[in-house]
Amino acid sequence: MNLPSTRLLTKTQAASYCGLSVATFSGVCPVRPIAIGEGVRMHRYDVRDIDKWIDSFKAGGPAPQSKFEELIDKL
């Protein structure tokens, strides 16, 4: 298994870590990035938060809502 060498990942790295395309990752992952500076270029995803999201699928309970599901619920 290829574990990341850093704890904070760009969106591209986070998507790759999950085995997803960036578009799919953006649509299904409820993990919010951390702003470590100004601008989108400085947003990073915490590997531990991503791992918690992935582990939630194994726990048997409902998975957290994706951004898409959150928006649909608001309609």
Side-chain angles (χ1 to χ4, degrees):
M1 174 174 12
N2 260 346
L3 295 177
S5 59
T6 60
R7 180 173 165 186
L8 298 178
L9 307 175
T10 65
K11 182 182 275 190
T12 300
Q13 291 169 325
S16 177
Y17 177 70
C18 294
L20 302 171
S21 69
V22 173
T24 300
F25 177 81
S26 295
V28 300
C29 183
V31 174
R32 301 287 184 225
I34 299 166
I36 59 172
E38 291 188 33
V40 176
R41 294 180 323 145
M42 297 302 292
H43 287 183
R44 296 293 184 270
Y45 292 83
D46 189 330
V47 169
R48 293 178 187 171
D49 293 337
I50 293 171
D51 287 341
K52 286 178 191 173
W53 171 60
I54 294 169
D55 289 342
S56 73
F57 291 105
K58 298 187 302 183
Q65 286 189 320
S66 69
K67 292 179 210 175
F68 176 76
E69 292 168 326
E70 288 175 19
L71 291 173
I72 293 298
D73 285 347
K74 289 180 182 179
L75 293 177

